[in-house]
Amino acid sequence: MTSVEDEPLSPLDAEIELLLGRLAALETREATPEEAPIRQVAIDAIRERLRQLARRCTDKTCRVRIVSDARKAAGEE
């Protein structure tokens, strides 16, 4: 059972949470030398998308924790 605090407020909030999970998975997994450039492109793309989405968040569309985590992941905090 999930608490109300964990439920996304909007599709925007849900997308940010999904991207944060993908970014964490990419950052924790060790890449082979062949995978490293592709991994870096993926990480950069996710961070850019997080920047874009975090700028569109309001109190009604995103949970504070998710916005904060997105900004940290995007390098804005």
Side-chain angles (χ1 to χ4, degrees):
M1 183 181 287
T2 60
S3 71
V4 175
E5 284 183 9
D6 291 336
E7 292 180 20
L9 295 178
S10 68
L12 178 65
D13 195 40
E15 183 178 353
I16 290 172
E17 190 167 33
L18 176 74
L19 290 172
L20 288 169
R22 289 182 178 171
L23 181 61
L26 282 169
E27 290 179 331
T28 58
R29 186 178 165 271
E30 193 67 36
T32 66
E34 295 82 22
E35 294 172 329
I38 296 167
R39 177 181 170 265
Q40 191 57 50
V41 168
I43 287 172
D44 292 345
I46 290 171
R47 285 185 175 144
E48 179 57 32
R49 183 67 178 150
L50 286 169
R51 260 186 224 96
Q52 294 169 355
L53 294 174
R55 289 181 188 134
R56 293 175 38 201
C57 284
T58 67
D59 290 345
K60 293 180 183 179
T61 60
C62 299
R63 293 167 284 167
V64 172
R65 175 182 55 84
I66 292 296
V67 174
S68 177
D69 290 349
R71 289 184 176 144
K72 283 179 190 171
E76 293 186 344
E77 275 189 7

